[in-house]
Amino acid sequence: MKLYLIAGEASGDTRGAEVMRSLLELAGGNGVQFYGAGGPQMRALAPAIQDWSGEAVVGLWDVLKKYGYFRRQFYAMLAEIEALRPDAVIFIDYPGFNLRLARALRKAGTTSRLIYYISPQVWAWNRRRIPMMAKTLDLMLCIFPFEKALYEESGLPTVFVGHPMLDSLAPKKGRVPREQNLVGLFPGSRTKEVSRIFPVMVEAAALLHRQRPDLRFETAAASERVAALMREILQRYPEPAITIRSGGSHELMQQAAAGMVASGTATMEAAFFEMPFTILYRVAPLTWEVGKRLVKVPFLGMVNILAGRELVKEFLQKDAQPPEVAREVRALLEDAPKREAQLEGLREVIRGLGEGGAGMRAAEAIMAALKR
């Protein structure tokens, strides 16, 4: 059995590797061959997979700058899939690239099953694309329970496999005690995110420290490159002292009494580890203006979308101002009813994601689709 997988960034690489391991288990080890593009985790399982995770982009401007690269990759993958004729092409997240490639394959008359894992959030920015996806794809594997009905309404077979985060984070939970005077800063994993969001967090931390000199502040850097950028930013701010950890974001989420978190995967991780927090986000002005016209949901943070309300306060773009952020974080530290209300809401959101085993359920759904 030949499978072609495409994941476009670090989180997709992790999810892809999980599914690959489960498929190898189900197929008896040697019963499946993997091809495609992903990251180092996927490549470690199959050398035929290209590592292109270093080319991940965020925002419209980054996409435009790398348009030539992605265009070349698009046509190279299209030709490779047509030559390999795999049993299935498995698209993992990365909708800007993957949905276009899926349409091109369908138009070219591919005989491969087209399967999407971690459904693109078209319900947030363009629900009209769902019927088109139903004509293109053979199977959708979604990680949020409400998505299943949306896709099935358009005739696209859909399986809710649960959220893979539950498996990856469960072994890490409960290792460290929470420190009541520690505030965690989580400005994202990409340098462009950090350059825009971390200064706001640092200024908010400075305001908090003047009000509460007993508070300590720590941040977790996703890479040495990000850590170097953080050190550069901190040179512009004489206070407060902020400790930079190399990795360790999950441990910090369990230690911190409250946190400031950039919108993204980290918001769901913070919810899982039951850290009270507030959401910040800033992008390039052009990206923001385009996004405002496309996005059709009332919140940016997934934790709020799942809760159906602003469970976690969002400070976005021009509203991401240090005084307001500091005020919210201090309230989470000192207002016990407010803190507990948010925590109970976070627990309810995580309970709604189901049980662990998403990678194996996704692999089982892929195998079942190939047998039909």
Side-chain angles (χ1 to χ4, degrees):
M1 181 171 60
K2 291 188 292 187
L3 299 177
Y4 196 100
L5 298 91
I6 308 167
E9 51 190 355
S11 60
D13 179 42
T14 300
R15 303 287 82 87
E18 291 167 352
V19 173
M20 288 169 68
R21 283 191 287 268
S22 296
L23 285 165
L24 286 169
E25 183 179 338
L26 292 173
N30 296 320
V32 58
Q33 293 177 307
F34 296 113
Y35 304 88
Q41 296 183 64
M42 293 170 64
R43 184 170 172 78
L45 293 169
I49 287 183
Q50 168 195 353
D51 182 355
W52 72 328
S53 56
E55 303 296 337
V57 295
V58 58
L60 180 61
W61 180 240
D62 282 355
V63 172
L64 293 174
K65 286 194 297 183
K66 290 192 172 183
Y67 174 78
Y69 170 82
F70 285 109
R71 189 173 187 274
R72 290 191 297 273
Q73 290 292 330
F74 182 93
Y75 286 107
M77 289 184 196
L78 187 61
E80 186 177 29
I81 292 167
E82 290 178 342
L84 283 170
R85 299 174 65 88
D87 296 279
V89 181
I90 302 168
F91 306 95
I92 304 169
D93 206 359
Y94 218 53
F97 185 93
N98 277 337
L99 285 178
R100 287 179 174 84
L101 185 58
R103 288 199 301 272
L105 286 167
R106 182 62 71 202
K107 186 176 180 180
T110 183
T111 58
S112 303
R113 295 291 179 94
L114 304 184
I115 300 173
Y116 214 108
Y117 178 43
I118 304 185
S119 56
Q121 295 174 3
V122 292
W123 41 264
W125 45 272
N126 192 352
R127 292 195 180 196
R128 289 176 297 179
R129 298 189 72 174
I130 294 178
M132 179 197 69
M133 292 165 63
K135 295 177 181 178
T136 302
L137 303 171
D138 295 298
L139 178 65
M140 176 64 72
L141 305 175
C142 63
I143 63 173
F144 295 114
F146 69 88
E147 294 173 322
K148 181 176 169 64
L150 288 175
Y151 289 110
E152 287 185 334
E153 284 175 6
S154 293
L156 176 56
T158 304
V159 177
F160 168 56
V161 298
H163 203 296
M165 175 189 75
L166 300 177
D167 290 311
S168 59
L169 298 186
K172 303 176 183 180
K173 192 170 187 178
R175 291 183 177 180
V176 290
R178 202 166 291 282
E179 300 178 24
Q180 297 308 311
N181 66 336
L182 176 61
V183 177
L185 313 182
F186 304 87
S189 59
R190 302 183 181 97
T191 54
K192 287 189 180 296
E193 287 179 328
V194 174
S195 65
R196 292 190 176 98
I197 298 170
F198 192 50
V200 179
M201 293 182 172
V202 174
E203 290 184 36
L207 292 172
L208 283 165
H209 192 253
R210 290 168 202 158
Q211 300 161 0
R212 290 271 309 270
D214 62 308
L215 291 177
R216 296 194 306 106
F217 302 89
E218 293 193 27
T219 186
S223 65
E224 179 50 40
R225 186 181 179 189
V226 169
L229 176 59
M230 287 176 168
R231 287 191 289 267
E232 180 184 322
I233 292 171
L234 288 176
Q235 288 178 358
R236 306 199 297 262
Y237 299 93
E239 61 164 339
I242 297 177
T243 301
I244 301 175
R245 299 187 182 195
S246 180
S249 63
H250 298 148
E251 184 179 41
L252 181 55
M253 285 177 177
Q254 295 179 80
Q255 287 179 280
M260 310 175 205
V261 182
S263 180
T265 304
T267 62
M268 292 300 294
E269 294 172 341
F272 181 86
F273 289 118
E274 299 183 17
M275 179 190 72
F277 67 102
T278 187
I279 294 173
L280 287 79
Y281 205 63
R282 280 184 173 180
V283 293
L286 175 60
T287 299
W288 181 257
E289 290 303 318
V290 172
K292 280 198 306 183
R293 288 162 173 75
L294 294 177
V295 175
K296 306 299 181 184
V297 290
F299 309 110
L300 184 62
M302 179 54 72
V303 67
N304 288 333
I305 293 172
L306 292 173
R309 58 192 174 93
E310 195 178 38
L311 172 63
V312 178
K313 183 70 176 176
E314 296 186 353
F315 296 98
L316 311 177
Q317 209 63 2
K318 293 180 180 179
D319 292 333
Q321 298 297 327
E324 285 71 22
V325 174
R327 189 178 301 114
E328 179 68 13
V329 173
R330 186 171 181 182
L332 291 171
L333 289 168
E334 299 177 355
D335 186 339
K338 178 183 178 74
R339 176 186 180 89
E340 186 53 41
Q342 189 189 93
L343 284 172
E344 182 50 43
L346 296 178
R347 295 183 194 113
E348 184 177 348
V349 166
I350 296 302
R351 285 195 293 267
L353 298 179
E355 300 177 353
M360 179 56 75
R361 278 194 292 274
E364 290 170 345
I366 292 167
M367 296 291 278
L370 293 175
K371 291 176 181 176
R372 285 197 292 270

